[in-house]
Amino acid sequence: MAEERGRVRGDRARLGRGSARPRSSAAGRRVREKPQLSRTRSRAAGMVAATTGLLGLSSTRRAAVLALVVCALALTVAVPLRNYVAQRQELSAVSEQQRALAAEVDSLTRQRAQLSDPEQVAAEARSRLGYVRPGEVPYIVQLPPSAATAPAVDPLAQEPWYRRLWRDVSEGPR
């Protein structure tokens, strides 16, 4: 008990209250030790330290940040990529059209070269327009229509117009 009083008085002396008395070195002084973490607590701290990584974020938060960054990158790349693909398709369509027009130009150039020959012009006039040279006798051969090209006879075509009209109104058009 006396020892306790001495400690209390020593504490007061340190705080500036009461008389200051010299203390013995280690006998009257209690040494405070730092509290030790229990084994379970240190394990939990180790898990937190292991899961806490870059910037002090947990793995779940890091995954969420990574997903957010990937989405942002995807959205910033999507529009230019779509424009690129559309322009490539348009370019291929225009190139195909250019090839078709070049083929048509070649065909028309050949036709113009053929029509520059007077004999070819005369042959075209004879076949298309039916022209003949002076002294020639033109003959036109007309063949009878074949059975395949003859129009089919409609049995209802022999009806008077008013019956056809009434049938169309009552039954609907065919």
Side-chain angles (χ1 to χ4, degrees):
M1 184 83 132
E3 202 174 278
E4 251 179 3
R5 284 185 201 155
R7 261 190 266 139
V8 170
R9 285 182 190 153
D11 290 340
R12 284 184 190 160
R14 262 186 297 155
L15 296 174
R17 297 183 196 128
S19 64
R21 193 173 77 183
R23 297 177 118 182
S24 62
S25 61
R29 194 169 51 168
R30 182 187 288 179
V31 177
R32 284 192 171 179
E33 295 180 14
K34 292 184 181 179
Q36 296 270 335
L37 295 177
S38 67
R39 181 163 234 179
T40 57
R41 231 174 149 192
S42 65
R43 232 185 248 161
M47 290 299 288
V48 169
T51 58
T52 304
L54 185 65
L55 301 175
L57 298 174
S58 69
S59 60
T60 306
R61 288 186 181 170
R62 277 186 287 157
V65 169
L66 179 65
L68 186 66
V69 168
V70 167
C71 288
L73 285 175
L75 290 175
T76 57
V77 170
V79 173
L81 184 63
R82 187 189 66 192
N83 290 341
Y84 174 76
V85 169
Q87 287 176 355
R88 293 296 292 179
Q89 289 175 348
E90 185 178 344
L91 179 65
S92 66
V94 168
S95 297
E96 184 62 35
Q97 185 180 11
Q98 185 179 7
R99 277 189 236 112
L101 290 174
E104 186 178 352
V105 165
D106 289 342
S107 171
L108 291 174
T109 303
R110 277 188 265 113
Q111 187 178 2
R112 184 182 69 187
Q114 288 175 352
L115 291 177
S116 66
D117 182 23
E119 289 297 318
Q120 184 67 28
V121 171
E124 287 290 324
R126 295 178 93 166
S127 65
R128 288 187 183 183
L129 302 174
Y131 284 6
V132 290
R133 291 193 177 162
E136 291 181 348
V137 178
Y139 290 102
I140 299 176
V141 178
Q142 292 181 346
L143 299 173
S146 65
T149 60
V153 178
D154 187 15
L156 301 176
Q158 304 299 326
E159 284 185 312
W161 65 271
Y162 53 87
R163 284 191 185 159
R164 278 186 274 154
L165 178 65
W166 182 253
R167 189 185 67 249
D168 288 343
V169 168
S170 62
E171 297 174 6
R174 287 192 273 162

